[in-house]
Amino acid sequence: MSIANNLKNIKKEIDSLSVALIAVSKTKPNADILEAYQAGQRIFGENQVQELSQKHNTLPKDIEWHLIGHLQSNKVKYIAPFISLIHSVDSLKLLKEINKEGAKNKRKINCLLQIYIADEDTKYGLGFDEAIELLSHPDYQQMQHIRIVGLMGIATNTDKQSQLKEEFYELKTFFKGIKQSFFKNDAGFKEISMGMSADYKLAIEQGSTMVRIGSHIFGNRDYKPE
Ligand SMILES: *Cc1c(COP(=O)(O)O)cnc(C)c1O
């Protein structure tokens, strides 16, 4: 199957549900991204700042770039001028840095809080309590150059459907509580980024608004992502 065909098949499944498709192009060459671009895809996700910056510099300017991987504070400056959405905010310190760089670039940078939902200790993310603490912090309330538009989660790497379903359900439920407590009058807080190649259908059933799909579009990657 070609990249264009893979995309077409996924779009057929999700378009009527108004779920956004992030094509995860990490480790893939520009030629592959252009193939997807020519098939109409405009949103791409990368997990490393250097690779993302290089691709941003060399590919069409109307691509919306999303950072989906762990972000170190000292690298925010490289992506702040152009990034459309950072999915992986996992500390107040990082959010402060994004706000600072947003100010320098005279923009408001869209962010998701990455919430820890997996039954593994290798993944980044905020616990439920930590997310609430962050949103309650006076420093957060002062920030003028970031906009939190939702939550992101990565489920456990397992085939167990019941466990995946449970984890997605937990994130959706937490989202509802956070919406009610902190973003009641903010229509912009509406995104739940959950679901990857292996589990996006289940994630959508549980309320995902953004799926991040890599190998199902571009084929397997040569090396394992972090
Ligand atoms: C790599 C990656 C994806 C895409 O994974 P696939 O299984 O190839 O669809 C999604 N989200 C994050 C955070 C990733 O790092």
Side-chain angles (χ1 to χ4, degrees), residues 24 26 47 68-69 152 154 196-198 212-216 221 225-226:
V24 176
K26 63 190 184 193
N47 70 337
I68 59 170
M152 180 270 227
I154 304 175
M196 312 182 11
S197 290
R212 310 177 307 269
I213 301 184
S215 46
H216 215 65
R221 288 176 295 274
E226 49 166 341

Side-chain angles (χ1 to χ4, degrees), residues 3-4 6 23 45 53 68-69 74 80 82 96 103-104 113-114 119-120 122 148 150 164-166 184 193-195 199:
I3 290 172
N6 293 341
S53 302
I68 59 170
N74 61 358
F82 68 87
K96 279 183 191 170
K104 278 190 200 162
L113 296 182
Q114 182 174 350
D119 184 20
E120 297 168 351
T122 50
I148 295 182
L164 291 168
K165 190 173 159 182
E166 180 70 22
K184 207 167 176 185
S193 167
M194 60 184 188
D199 56 23

Side-chain angles (χ1 to χ4, degrees), residues 130-149:
E130 291 171 317
I132 290 167
E133 206 176 298
L134 185 156
L135 292 169
S136 310
H137 201 286
D139 287 354
Y140 162 67
Q141 282 147 22
Q142 299 300 315
M143 294 180 192
Q144 300 291 319
H145 293 277
I146 52 104
R147 186 187 295 121
I148 295 182
V149 298

Side-chain angles (χ1 to χ4, degrees), residues 22-30 32-33 43-56 59 63-71 79 82-83 85-88 152 212-214 218 221 223 225-226:
I22 319 306
V24 176
S25 49
K26 63 190 184 193
T27 81
K28 297 295 177 183
N30 283 2
D32 287 8
I33 297 175
I43 311 177
F44 292 87
E46 291 281 336
N47 70 337
Q48 287 186 354
V49 166
Q50 196 182 353
E51 187 176 345
L52 171 59
S53 302
Q54 275 167 4
K55 287 175 173 172
H56 168 257
L59 286 160
I63 288 179
E64 256 186 53
W65 293 102
H66 289 199
L67 185 80
I68 59 170
H70 181 65
L71 176 58
I79 58 168
F82 68 87
I83 198 76
L85 180 60
I86 299 173
H87 288 234
S88 43
M152 180 270 227
R212 310 177 307 269
I213 301 184
F218 296 106
R221 288 176 295 274
Y223 62 87
E226 49 166 341

